[in-house]
Amino acid sequence: ADAEIAARVDSAAVIGAAQDTDKAYQAGVTIGAKLSELGFNLDFAPVADLANVPDSIMADRSYGADAQLAGAMAVSVAAGLKEQGIVSCMKHFPGIGSTVQDPHTGLASTERTEEQFRNEEFIAFKAGIDAGIPMIMVGHISAPNLTGDNEPCTFSEKVVTDILRGELGFEGVIITDALNMSAVSEYHTSEEAAILALKAGCDMLL
């Protein structure tokens, strides 16, 4: 019998470099089949972040720096998961690949402008929205040129409600990234974090 719990698939970086959406779809099928067998119905995947700076925190986990390609790859993974009865969750809006810092260990920040996000990261997420992705996770990244302050995007009404809901037209479930990550827990109590995320427009707290 197979003693491994995890399904073995290539990293997103390897799949993205191949530029083959069928490989991405098959990865979703493989992972989805294993998750279904274990009794899960949701996978916090695929990643739609763009690894678009040297030493990006998402280097291995992203399908690349090209928004059109990353979006197509993520949509294909989601389709493979869905084929196995698994709900997918695209992450980490608005895109955390332009930082080298890890939100697990502190507040990561990006200096990307609103225009850069619109011309790049948002395109990848919009591909998922247009394909009917049911769930999107918002990342704990500070993007002051987008939000106007240093708070994580998870707590930004502009990012969650105005942009993701209003501008990009997402009607599915918006979930936070884990609220016990240092990017949040170093600055807020769990009660504060929960309220801030809900006020920004998030539907679920992770």
Side-chain angles (χ1 to χ4, degrees):
D2 183 4
E4 290 189 355
I5 291 178
R8 284 185 177 267
V9 298
D10 287 334
S11 71
V14 169
I15 293 171
Q19 299 189 11
D20 184 349
T21 52
D22 189 55
K23 276 190 175 175
Y25 173 80
Q26 291 303 328
V29 169
T30 301
I31 293 167
K34 179 61 77 171
L35 289 175
S36 182
E37 181 188 313
L38 293 169
F40 291 96
N41 64 0
L42 167 66
D43 186 8
F44 288 137
V47 158
D49 303 291
L50 308 180
N52 50 10
V53 295
D55 301 318
S56 166
I57 187 64
M58 300 303 291
D60 288 334
R61 299 174 62 196
S62 167
Y63 294 100
D66 180 88
Q68 302 279 1
L69 178 69
M73 291 291 179
V75 166
S76 297
V77 172
L81 289 168
K82 184 178 181 180
E83 199 262 329
Q84 295 295 317
I86 304 294
V87 174
S88 57
C89 175
M90 198 173 255
K91 62 185 185 182
H92 309 76
F93 192 81
I96 68 173
S98 61
T99 180
V100 299
Q101 300 151 288
D102 187 346
H104 289 86
T105 57
L107 184 58
S109 183
T110 180
E111 290 304 312
R112 286 177 81 66
T113 66
E114 191 164 335
E115 186 179 13
Q116 285 176 309
F117 272 113
R118 282 185 203 290
N119 292 337
E120 296 185 47
E121 283 88 347
F122 290 1
I123 289 171
F125 283 95
K126 187 72 168 99
I129 293 168
D130 290 346
I133 204 92
M135 200 169 192
I136 290 179
M137 181 183 289
V138 180
H140 301 320
I141 185 175
S142 167
N145 292 327
L146 180 65
T147 63
D149 61 31
N150 290 312
E151 283 278 34
C153 288
T154 327
F155 303 147
S156 168
E157 186 175 355
K158 178 179 177 181
V159 169
V160 179
T161 297
D162 297 350
I163 296 175
L164 185 52
R165 281 270 185 246
E167 183 184 324
L168 300 181
F170 181 59
E171 296 179 352
V173 174
I174 299 175
I175 189 169
T176 70
D177 205 342
L179 292 172
N180 62 346
M181 285 187 190
S182 296
V184 171
S185 62
E186 281 182 19
Y187 306 94
H188 297 285
T189 64
S190 57
E191 293 88 349
E192 286 171 348
I195 290 167
L196 287 167
L198 292 171
K199 284 179 77 173
C202 296
D203 302 304
M204 291 181 74
L205 308 172
L206 177 61

